[in-house]
Amino acid sequence: MSEYLKAKDAYAGVGVDTEAALRRLSDAAISIHCWQGDDVIGFENAAGALSGGIQTTGQYPGRARNPEELMADFDKAASLIPGKKRINLHASYAIFDGAQADRDALRPEHFARWVEFARARGLGIDFNPTFFSHPMVRENLTLSSPDKEVRDYWVRHGIACRRISSYIAEALGTPVLNNVWVPDGYKDIPADRLGPRLRLKESLDRIFAEPLPGVIDSVEGKVFGIGLEAYTVGSSEFYIGYAARHPGVYNLIDSGHYHPTEMISDKISSLLAFCDKLPLHVSRPMRWDSDHVVRLDDELREIAKEIVRNDALERVMIGLDFFDASINRVAAWVIGTRNMQKALLLALLEPAGYMRTLQEENRFTELLMLQEELKTFPFGAVWDEWCARGQVPVGAAWFQEVQTYEQTVLRARG
Ligand code: RNT
Ligand code: ZN
């Protein structure tokens, strides 16, 4: 009997159908962020520094330096990741065949090559306006700046990006999540906390004014950034309030954007109680919003359980957001994405209904026992089976391919 069939029996013993779990896993798309491949640099100005209070650290050789390299690296990673994938782009990854357009003048054609790339591979696309790493970010402010010229510039960028998203959605026949994150904030205690928030609100209203088919809008809050320690204009409360008042605009939660002991797994059900969609940036904060590659740790598993047991795989839009320049970037994509999928599979292999009953009947001893026993069930055999069916390497075998790719392709980049 194969390892998988033994595992299937073991799970059947607790009322779990592994085949049903694999079917549901195969339907769950993970939106893979392009920015892990090049340390969030983008294509506008290859030497430009990353700003906005986020930081990539490390000097591992071989980062992608242009669209061709980024696409090739993404392809390599995708070939080692089972299941449904989307690609998450930033406006700073526009591809210019002629003169470079500024951010407020970006047009759909600057993303035509990404659309071709996605179409040829059956991927959906998600999109992000880029409100950082640009000279029009003044004193760390964009949409909330007291300077109308700065605000207007970034409003134009936001509008341009929503139109691009709508074009992409139409071209691919699948909706595009357009996520707005702005770095705006202050390093030290401000004199006025409300003014910037009212300006941000007004700017967002202007950006979202135009109804655009195929676009799902979201806003991403956070608690602080580097150099912006005291105050962030777009805080969690601000955006939850904003989204609550603006149907069609969703609050996105990023797992690195809260206080160090605050977990997003507990927030998912609260938002699901009020919103029909919940976009996520799954990341791994280490003491701060460090964006480490996601591991299969307790929090990732808890996030996945909250999605699966609340029957929200269709409502939660799972996106990844990490960037590590200290390790092989293709491997970072593969490890992080496979971990997200492993966490979903673990959640799908729980007898969720039975466990809910135990809670409702106050049978906490049995619940604790079952939660702990499930940890040593033969999950690995079910995961390996899914990889084999998805025609990607089983177990650690994928790493050999990344090593070969590093030696033959990445090392040559100097
Ligand atoms: C920053 C936000 C944001 C970015 C990406 C590059 O703290 O998490 O989502 O990481 O847009
Ligand atoms: Zn994020």
Side-chain angles (χ1 to χ4, degrees):
M1 200 179 191
S2 75
E3 290 304 311
Y4 172 66
L5 289 177
K6 280 191 227 162
K8 191 173 181 227
D9 277 358
Y11 280 106
V14 288
V16 172
D17 175 355
T18 55
E19 287 298 320
L22 292 182
R23 272 196 303 279
R24 289 178 70 196
L25 185 60
S26 298
D27 284 341
I30 311 291
S31 190
I32 305 175
H33 53 312
C34 74
W35 53 91
Q36 165 60 67
D38 77 329
D39 312 340
V40 208
I41 291 174
F43 304 144
E44 295 163 315
N45 164 11
L50 180 58
S51 83
I54 54 178
Q55 213 168 79
T56 314
T57 53
Q59 268 108 38
Y60 201 82
R63 79 162 185 88
R65 296 163 302 180
N66 53 51
E68 293 70 32
E69 291 179 356
L70 189 63
M71 287 175 180
D73 293 359
F74 187 90
D75 272 341
K76 180 42 83 178
S79 75
L80 305 172
I81 299 167
K84 253 197 210 168
K85 295 164 276 269
R86 303 172 61 82
I87 180 162
N88 200 359
L89 300 177
H90 243 284
S92 50
Y93 291 79
I95 301 175
F96 304 106
D97 284 322
Q100 184 168 318
D102 201 357
R103 296 248 180 106
D104 64 339
L106 286 172
R107 285 189 309 275
E109 60 258 36
H110 301 133
F111 291 88
R113 275 179 58 198
W114 281 115
V115 167
E116 271 169 49
F117 176 84
R119 188 186 283 124
R121 289 154 182 79
L123 307 169
I125 290 182
D126 294 308
F127 201 76
N128 303 262
T130 310
F131 295 96
F132 55 85
S133 304
H134 190 281
M136 278 304 274
V137 180
R138 299 274 170 80
E139 300 291 334
N140 298 311
L141 300 173
T142 64
L143 295 177
S144 74
S145 169
D147 182 341
K148 188 169 183 314
E149 197 197 326
V150 172
R151 287 201 307 283
D152 287 352
Y153 177 85
W154 290 110
V155 166
R156 287 196 300 277
H157 176 59
I159 292 171
C161 287
R162 288 185 74 242
R163 291 182 181 161
I164 290 164
S165 292
S166 187
Y167 146 79
I168 296 172
E170 203 198 323
L172 295 178
T174 160
V176 171
L177 178 71
N178 185 271
N179 175 55
V180 169
W181 168 69
V182 296
D184 299 36
Y186 290 103
K187 179 183 174 79
D188 215 335
I189 311 298
D192 172 18
R193 288 187 167 89
L194 182 58
R197 289 187 169 135
L198 293 177
R199 289 193 290 269
L200 175 56
K201 182 169 171 244
E202 203 228 342
S203 296
L204 292 172
D205 286 347
R206 290 165 65 197
I207 290 176
F208 296 133
E210 184 178 15
L212 283 167
V215 182
I216 301 171
D217 289 297
S218 68
V219 283
E220 176 183 8
K222 72 189 281 189
V223 62
F224 86 102
I226 298 175
L228 305 158
E229 287 84 359
Y231 165 79
T232 293
V233 184
S235 62
S236 177
E237 295 74 13
F238 175 87
Y239 284 127
I240 290 175
Y242 190 89
R245 286 294 197 95
H246 295 79
V249 179
Y250 296 92
N251 179 67
L252 178 148
I253 49 180
D254 178 312
S255 39
H257 289 191
Y258 298 86
H259 290 281
T261 58
E262 206 178 343
M263 299 292 159
I264 67 156
S265 48
D266 184 60
K267 302 178 190 302
I268 291 173
S269 51
S270 294
L271 289 163
L272 286 177
F274 296 98
C275 316
D276 63 309
K277 287 187 183 59
L278 172 58
L280 295 186
H281 272 183
V282 181
S283 189
R284 181 165 57 101
M286 177 85 78
R287 308 191 195 285
W288 66 288
D289 182 28
S290 61
D291 291 293
H292 280 62
V293 178
V294 299
R295 284 183 187 260
L296 184 57
D297 57 13
D298 285 350
E299 171 61 358
L300 187 70
R301 295 173 60 159
E302 211 57 31
I303 290 169
K305 284 188 223 167
E306 287 298 319
I307 300 169
V308 166
R309 64 191 172 195
N310 297 322
D311 209 10
L313 270 170
E314 316 238 290
R315 295 165 62 197
V316 176
M317 310 175 75
I318 306 173
L320 304 174
D321 186 8
F322 51 78
F323 27 98
D324 192 336
S326 75
I327 57 174
N328 180 302
R329 294 164 187 80
V330 175
W333 263 325
V334 178
I335 293 167
T337 312
R338 284 171 66 119
N339 277 341
M340 185 71 242
Q341 295 170 322
K342 284 179 186 169
L344 289 172
L345 180 57
L346 277 162
L348 287 162
L349 293 173
E350 278 194 349
Y354 182 65
M355 292 167 89
R356 183 176 298 120
T357 305
L358 292 178
Q359 176 177 321
E360 284 168 9
E361 295 179 354
N362 301 320
R363 292 156 64 191
F364 298 113
T365 314
E366 188 179 343
L367 180 58
L368 175 62
M369 177 282 297
L370 189 54
Q371 285 168 333
E372 293 307 300
E373 286 303 323
L374 280 168
K375 288 182 178 169
T376 49
F377 267 50
F379 157 75
V382 185
W383 168 255
D384 287 349
E385 175 72 12
W386 193 56
C387 289
R389 289 186 195 178
Q391 291 172 340
V392 303
V394 171
W398 63 266
F399 189 61
Q400 184 59 53
E401 291 201 30
V402 172
Q403 278 180 311
T404 307
Y405 189 72
E406 176 169 320
Q407 273 143 26
T408 55
V409 179
L410 302 180
R411 291 275 166 187
R413 287 178 191 170

